[in-house]
């Protein structure tokens, strides 16, 4: 262990002693800003720095758009305030306007100091001691309109608000056979409109970056009419507030409503979501993003030198990155310029690969081509769910079916996993059969944990009967094992010599080869919401500690990341062994905190973290040791973590990953079709599609064997373990934090990243 630590870079070497950090939130408020402020403050204190709030700068410390700061006199006054407190490190949480202003402030800094000296407001020594101003930005904006980052703080929470409303509207629209036209925020950016349309399966979406082609009115009405004739009882149209046509003329929700009424005579209503999108509690994703970025911002400030440009910390895929602030601002402005010049393809490209992927996937799924326009592949592709249900599975199946049909395949649905497969529960599934599936929880196809190994003869027979040429398996650890068993049986059965791909879907997030699984985000939100409520239940009572048990089998992902999102004091998991001394020190730590005026404590325990230190044991230990200081309550969250409607992230992730899987199947079918039949028996034709850091990667299941602990059903290496010290720091523990994986300064890339196959 000591050897390994030598090669790592620990931030004990990065001291904040003698440094002062100012943190401010500026511009429009966004959910998650408070979590970002909390992380900056606690991390700053942890490294020994002094941390200051800049008030009004809904967040806890107030968020404001300041006109005075736009003037030179305003910035001179601001510089004076900072020098008086020796603050030379600023962490700015806001949108592109706030960050551009902060960068201008930095560029003017030495000139402002000179002016202050000339005016006699500060002396030469103060100017010398504060000669360098370092700025790190975090993007807090619900619009996700800042280039260079996949997700800005607040975007995911805004999507939660939108989807909650859309789900509620869908039930009333269905009852009355209505069309609803919804306006969502996004004056210059269509991200919220586009992703919510993708997440709810909207019939039509209008965004500023990609105005509809001329004649769109007729096309839209035709599409709505077709959807009704196929039996749909409702239509949803989503309009970004900045939507325009090809001539740059605004398209409003009322324009769209009038069009639908005059053209089709449908009962049509308008809903404008407005500031609801900015409010409410932050989602689990936003809390984790803000916490990770807050810590990253402090590290970036500690490492900054005179030559380091002002940077923004952001997320690319699942990887923290640092990007020069002005490069991002320039690219964001270039998007607007491209839109003004009506160069819409360029505007979409500049928005980044995440936006482009969303748009392409929406186009693929929303408009059914006429049969005469479809390529005739004459291939049959089967889709099945395996393992326990996970929210987002249905969105993945819908996406797979529709993309498969668009690619010219005949799609088959297998009910009840491998059990249904060997029993012959297989039928063709059409475009309209999966309408409205995106927002449904659980598994509509039905899913079982049965493995195929004992039923290979019967499964091979069903593949023959239905002439199945490829398999898409969506599920958890059993799905992974199932695909391994089928690929291993290829030597004996020619029927299994077909392309097969597995897409991970499990709340436990325990699949090797993927950082994330469909369903895990929904489960995290269930845990976070419940922890919030549980903590609230104790408001007004004396000091109380809650012991909460989460699911996950032997995988501590839900407990650890849920703990980070909910602000837990301790989290017990299997991957990080603990003994009675650790439990004792945690109790003592919590007791000390409770004596300082903190009223509530939160302790999470993964269900299989230790066979002897059970949830009951930990509850009794804390109850006994906390006598006189706090009392205890325990709660086992159970299957509520598997239920509920999928979160926007899971709907979206399921939709995009399944579309990618089907496109891979199409390529493999083409490659392996020889002499009138499909024959695929190489390693790279039985794959798992997973998210690895920044890319979606297809990995042969055989190659993932060595990365798997089969006894405990977890990957041998898990990326999220690096987040655990972060949780401990935010809970005020002394710990070692490995910064070798922190973001390095990169440049904004304008060339397309190569596709990883």
């Amino acid at each position: 262990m000591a050897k390994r630590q030598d090669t790592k870079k620990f931030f004990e070497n990065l001291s904040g002693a003698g440094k002062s950090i100012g943190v401010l939130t500026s511009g429009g408020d966004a959910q998650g800003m408070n979590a970002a402020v909390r992380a900056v403050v606690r991390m700053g204190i942890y490294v020994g720095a002094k941390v200051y709030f800049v008030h009004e700068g809904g967040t806890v410390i107030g968020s404001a758009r300041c006109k005075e700061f736009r003037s030179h006199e305003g910035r001179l006054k601001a510089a004076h305030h900072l020098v008086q407190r020796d603050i030379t490190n600023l962490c700015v949480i806001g949108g592109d306007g706030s960050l551009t202003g902060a960068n201008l402030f930095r560029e003017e800094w030495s000139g402002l100091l000179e002016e202050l000296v000339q005016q006699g407001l500060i002396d030469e020594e103060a100017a010398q001691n504060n000669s360098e101003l370092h700025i790190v930005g975090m993007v807090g904006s619900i619009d996700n309109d800042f280039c260079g980052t996949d997700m800005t703080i607040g975007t995911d929470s805004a999507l939660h608000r939108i989807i909650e409303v859309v789900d509620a509207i869908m039930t009333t629209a269905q009852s009355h056979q209505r069309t609803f036209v919804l306006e969502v925020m996004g004056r210059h950016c269509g991200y919220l409109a586009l992703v919510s349309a993708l997440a709810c399966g909207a019939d039509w979406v209008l965004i500023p970056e990609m105005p509809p082609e001329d004649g769109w009115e007729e096309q839209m009405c035709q599409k709505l009419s077709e959807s009704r004739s196929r039996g749909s009882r409702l239509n949803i149209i989503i309009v970004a507030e900045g939507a325009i046509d090809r001539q740059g003329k605004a398209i409003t929700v009322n324009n769209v409503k009038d069009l639908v009424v005059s053209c089709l005579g449908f009962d049509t209503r308008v809903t404008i979501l407005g500031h609801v999108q900015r409010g409410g509690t932050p989602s689990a994703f936003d809390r984790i993003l803000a916490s990770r970025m807050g810590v990253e911002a402090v590290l970036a400030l500690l490492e900054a030198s005179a030559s380091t440009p002002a940077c923004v910390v952001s997320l690319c895929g699942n990887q923290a990155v640092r990007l020069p602030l002005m490069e991002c601002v320039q690219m964001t402005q270039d998007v607007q310029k491209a839109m003004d010049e009506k160069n819409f393809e360029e505007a979409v490209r500049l928005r980044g690969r995440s936006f482009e992927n969303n748009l392409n996937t929406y186009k693929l799924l929303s408009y059914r081509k006429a049969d005469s326009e479809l390529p005739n592949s004459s291939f049959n592709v089967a889709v099945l769910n395996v393992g326990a249900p996970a929210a987002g599975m249905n969105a993945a199946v819908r996406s797979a079916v529709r993309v498969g049909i668009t690619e010219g395949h005949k799609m088959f649905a297998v009910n009840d996993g491998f059990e249904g497969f060997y029993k012959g529960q297989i039928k063709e599934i059409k475009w309209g059969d999966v309408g409205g599936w995106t927002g449904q929880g659980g598994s509509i196809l039905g899913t079982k944990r049965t493995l195929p190994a004992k039923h290979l003869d019967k499964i091979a027979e069903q593949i023959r009967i239905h002439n199945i040429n490829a398999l898409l398996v969506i599920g958890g650890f059993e799905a992974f094992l199932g695909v391994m068993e089928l690929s291993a049986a290829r030597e004996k059965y020619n029927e299994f010599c077909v392309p097969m791909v597995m897409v991970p879907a499990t709340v436990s997030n325990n699949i090797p080869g993927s950082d994330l699984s469909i369903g895990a985000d929904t489960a995290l939100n269930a845990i976070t919401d419940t922890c919030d409520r549980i903590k609230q239940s104790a408001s007004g009572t004396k000091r109380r500690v809650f012991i909460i048990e989460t699911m996950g089998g032997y995988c501590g992902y839900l407990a650890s990341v849920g703990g980070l999102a909910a602000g837990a004091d301790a989290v017990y998991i299997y991957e990080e062994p603990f003994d009675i001394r650790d439990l004792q020190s945690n109790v003592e730590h919590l007791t000390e905190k409770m004596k300082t005026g903190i009223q509530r404590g939160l302790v999470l325990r993964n269900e299989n973290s230790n066979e002897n230190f059970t949830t009951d044991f930990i509850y009794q230990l804390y109850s006994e040791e906390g006598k006189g200081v706090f009392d205890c309550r325990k709660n086992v969250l159970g299957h509520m973590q598997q239920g509920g409607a999928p979160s926007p992230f899971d709907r979206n992730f399921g939709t995009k990953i399944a579309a990618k899987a089907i496109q891979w199947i199409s390529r493999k079918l083409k490659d392996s079709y020889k002499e009138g039949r499909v024959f695929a028996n190489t390693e790279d034709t039985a794959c798992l599609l997973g998210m690895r850091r920044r890319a979606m990667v297809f990995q042969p299941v055989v190659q993932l064997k060595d990365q798997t602990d089969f006894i405990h059903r977890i990957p041998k290496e898990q990326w999220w373990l690096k987040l655990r010290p972060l949780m401990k720091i935010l809970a005020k523990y002394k710990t070692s934090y490995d910064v070798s994986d922190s973001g390095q300064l990169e440049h904004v890339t304008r060339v397309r990243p190569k596709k990883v196959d």
Side-chain angles (χ1 to χ4, degrees):
M1 186 66 189
K3 224 179 195 179
R4 208 168 134 214
Q5 286 192 357
D6 292 342
T7 62
K8 284 190 173 180
K9 183 171 136 203
F10 286 94
F11 83 19
E12 279 69 34
N13 316 330
L14 295 172
S15 170
K19 293 186 179 179
S20 294
I21 297 172
V23 56
L24 69 135
T25 55
S26 172
D29 61 325
Q31 308 95 318
M33 277 183 167
N34 294 332
V37 171
R38 168 182 178 261
V40 171
V41 170
R42 293 197 170 174
M43 185 65 166
I45 292 168
Y46 184 86
V47 297
K50 235 181 184 180
V51 188
Y52 291 87
F53 281 159
V54 182
H55 285 273
E56 302 303 337
T59 67
V60 174
I61 57 176
S63 185
R65 292 180 163 109
C66 176
K67 281 188 181 146
E68 206 182 341
F69 193 76
R70 290 177 186 170
S71 69
H72 184 75
E73 290 70 31
R75 293 194 291 278
L76 189 68
K77 209 188 277 185
H80 188 208
H81 290 153
L82 293 183
V83 173
Q84 282 175 318
R85 292 166 182 80
D86 288 328
I87 299 172
T88 54
N89 296 285
L90 266 190
C91 178
V92 183
I93 307 165
D96 62 335
S98 312
L99 297 175
T100 307
N103 191 64
L104 174 65
F105 187 45
R106 182 180 188 253
E107 286 171 355
E108 291 180 348
W109 183 252
S110 53
L112 294 170
L113 293 190
E114 277 173 34
E115 271 185 69
L116 291 171
V117 171
Q118 283 162 12
Q119 291 177 20
L121 291 169
I122 63 169
D123 57 24
E124 283 286 357
E125 191 186 350
Q128 200 60 46
N129 291 344
N130 296 279
S131 60
E132 286 174 22
L133 178 68
H134 302 301
I135 287 179
V136 170
M138 273 186 274
V139 193
S141 158
I142 66 164
D143 295 338
N144 202 24
D145 56 355
F146 196 79
C147 293
T149 174
D150 279 0
M151 279 293 253
T152 57
I153 295 166
T155 305
D156 188 66
S157 302
L159 285 171
H160 272 258
R161 298 299 92 81
I162 295 167
I163 293 304
E164 282 159 15
V165 172
V166 175
D167 284 356
I169 278 174
M170 275 179 152
T171 52
T172 174
Q174 194 117 24
S175 309
H176 296 277
Q177 285 196 289
R178 282 188 177 138
T179 295
F180 270 86
V181 186
L182 278 87
E183 180 186 285
V184 301
M185 281 184 166
R187 271 199 309 277
H188 308 292
C189 177
Y191 185 88
L192 288 179
L194 175 59
V195 175
S196 50
L198 198 55
C200 73
D203 296 278
W204 201 265
V205 66
L206 293 157
I207 59 171
E209 291 88 346
M210 187 50 76
E213 300 290 343
D214 293 341
W216 64 273
E217 299 92 339
E218 196 182 315
Q219 213 184 354
M220 182 184 80
C221 290
Q222 187 188 344
K223 187 182 174 211
L224 299 182
S225 174
E226 280 173 11
S227 123
R228 288 288 175 99
S229 65
R230 283 201 301 269
S232 171
R233 290 180 59 84
L234 78 158
N235 299 109
I236 300 280
I237 300 164
I238 295 182
V239 185
E241 61 180 331
I244 50 171
D245 64 15
R246 291 263 152 181
Q247 279 63 52
K249 190 168 156 273
I251 301 175
T252 68
V253 276
N254 287 318
N255 297 153
V256 177
K257 177 198 165 175
D258 295 345
L259 177 68
V260 175
V261 172
S262 63
C263 193
L264 299 167
F266 289 172
D267 184 359
T268 306
R269 303 293 157 99
V270 162
T271 300
I272 296 172
L273 268 69
H275 281 74
V276 163
Q277 296 159 85
R278 285 197 186 280
T281 53
S283 65
F285 182 94
D286 271 332
R287 296 179 195 205
I288 294 150
L289 172 67
S291 301
R292 286 177 73 181
M293 295 303 102
V295 168
E296 189 67 38
V298 173
L299 294 177
L301 285 170
L302 293 182
E303 291 174 359
S305 66
S307 60
T308 317
C311 74
V312 282
V313 292
S314 73
L315 206 60
C316 182
N318 192 29
Q319 175 72 32
V321 293
R322 298 177 195 172
L323 299 163
L325 191 152
M326 286 320 290
E327 285 186 21
C328 297
V329 168
Q330 184 58 54
M331 199 155 159
T332 306
Q333 289 168 353
D334 288 349
V335 175
Q336 192 55 51
K337 188 167 168 249
M339 282 157 65
D340 294 341
E341 292 169 356
K342 299 189 172 51
N343 189 350
F344 299 114
E345 277 76 14
E346 178 67 1
V348 168
R349 193 181 68 76
L350 288 169
R351 274 272 179 249
R353 59 177 193 151
S354 170
F355 190 92
E356 205 171 1
N357 280 347
N358 285 323
L359 185 60
N360 292 338
T361 310
Y362 180 79
K363 283 178 184 169
L364 260 182
L365 295 173
S366 64
Y367 201 77
R368 190 190 191 297
K369 292 178 180 170
D371 289 343
S372 56
E373 293 176 60
L374 295 174
N376 183 13
S377 80
S378 71
F379 291 124
N380 295 345
V381 179
V383 184
L384 63 156
N385 292 159
V386 176
M393 274 182 163
N394 299 321
V397 173
R398 168 188 177 265
S399 172
V401 168
R402 292 196 169 177
V403 174
I405 290 169
T406 306
E407 303 257 304
H409 309 317
K410 215 182 226 185
M411 300 302 293
F412 286 82
V414 181
N415 296 115
D416 298 337
F418 288 117
E419 189 173 307
F421 210 146
Y422 81 78
K423 289 179 177 173
Q425 296 170 6
I426 304 166
K427 61 177 190 309
E428 191 183 346
I429 187 164
K430 301 280 182 61
W431 183 279
D433 297 338
V434 289
W437 279 31
T438 350
Q440 304 286 319
S443 163
I444 297 172
L445 287 185
T447 182
K448 290 273 174 78
R449 293 179 184 272
T450 314
L451 290 171
K454 291 178 182 169
H455 313 283
L456 292 173
D457 285 345
K458 287 182 178 172
I459 293 173
E461 186 187 348
Q462 291 300 330
I463 288 178
R464 265 198 318 280
I465 291 168
H466 294 93
N467 190 25
I468 303 294
N469 306 115
L471 288 180
L472 169 60
V473 185
I474 300 164
F477 206 82
E478 286 84 4
F480 172 59
L481 293 174
V483 172
M484 283 180 85
E485 287 176 5
L486 292 181
S487 68
R490 280 173 164 177
E491 287 177 20
K492 196 176 168 191
Y493 299 89
N494 273 349
E495 289 83 357
F496 302 139
C497 295
V498 295
M500 50 182 90
V501 61
M502 183 226 156
V503 164
T506 165
V507 298
S508 304
N509 196 28
N510 62 334
I511 308 298
S514 192
D515 289 356
L516 295 172
S517 299
I518 298 165
D521 183 70
T522 305
L524 277 181
N525 277 291
I527 292 166
T528 310
D529 291 348
T530 311
C531 288
D532 285 355
R533 288 182 189 192
I534 286 171
K535 283 203 284 191
Q536 214 168 21
S537 73
S539 60
T541 61
K542 59 183 182 3
R543 299 183 181 102
R544 183 164 286 170
V545 173
F546 294 96
I547 315 290
I548 294 171
E549 181 184 298
T550 67
M551 281 177 136
Y554 284 95
C555 179
Y557 175 82
L558 287 181
S560 296
V561 182
L564 180 60
D569 295 279
V571 176
Y572 301 115
I573 60 168
Y574 164 76
E575 292 92 342
E576 202 173 90
F578 55 97
D579 58 23
I580 196 72
R581 288 181 296 277
D582 298 311
L583 291 169
Q584 183 63 35
S585 92
N586 291 154
V587 175
E588 286 165 7
H589 184 264
L590 206 44
T591 309
E592 288 308 307
K593 270 170 82 169
M594 288 285 184
K595 286 176 184 169
T596 63
I598 286 168
Q599 294 294 314
R600 294 182 293 281
L602 191 64
V603 175
L604 268 62
R605 177 189 174 273
N606 161 260
E607 58 185 350
N608 288 352
S609 54
N610 187 299
E611 59 181 327
N612 296 315
F613 298 140
T614 60
T615 302
D616 279 335
F617 177 91
I618 291 173
Y619 162 69
Q620 285 161 356
L621 177 76
Y622 273 75
S623 299
E624 180 61 34
E625 295 294 320
K627 264 185 187 165
V629 183
F630 57 78
D631 66 356
C632 278
R633 296 285 184 276
K634 66 171 178 179
N635 202 301
V636 176
L637 299 184
H639 279 76
M640 60 160 290
Q641 295 159 86
Q642 252 176 10
S647 66
F649 181 92
D650 278 331
R651 297 179 192 201
N652 219 358
F653 185 48
T655 299
K656 288 200 285 193
I657 197 169
K660 203 171 176 67
I662 290 291
Q663 288 166 333
W664 175 88
I665 279 176
S666 297
R667 288 197 300 276
K668 292 293 174 194
L669 282 169
K670 207 170 156 191
D671 295 346
S672 57
Y673 186 70
K674 291 176 184 80
E675 295 166 18
R677 72 183 189 116
V678 172
F679 187 80
N681 68 343
T682 51
E683 277 185 5
D684 65 347
T685 57
C687 282
L688 177 144
L689 171 55
M691 184 186 182
R692 279 277 171 97
R693 284 176 174 252
R694 301 188 189 193
M696 301 280 254
V697 191
F698 289 93
Q699 303 143 95
V701 286
V702 177
Q703 291 176 18
L704 293 172
K705 251 185 187 168
D706 295 340
Q707 298 172 30
T708 311
D709 170 354
F710 286 98
I711 295 167
H712 299 101
R713 299 158 61 92
I714 52 172
K716 287 178 183 170
E717 285 197 14
Q718 302 186 87
W719 68 273
W720 51 266
L721 284 167
K722 288 185 175 162
L723 298 181
R724 281 183 64 80
L726 191 146
M727 183 202 72
K728 290 175 185 172
I729 288 165
L730 298 181
K732 222 173 168 186
Y733 280 91
K734 281 288 170 206
T735 184
S736 225
Y737 185 60
D738 171 17
V739 295
S740 56
D741 203 36
S742 66
Q744 301 303 311
L745 191 66
E746 302 176 13
H747 289 283
V748 176
T749 165
R750 283 170 182 262
V751 291
R752 290 164 188 270
K754 283 181 183 169
K755 285 187 179 174
V756 181
D757 183 21

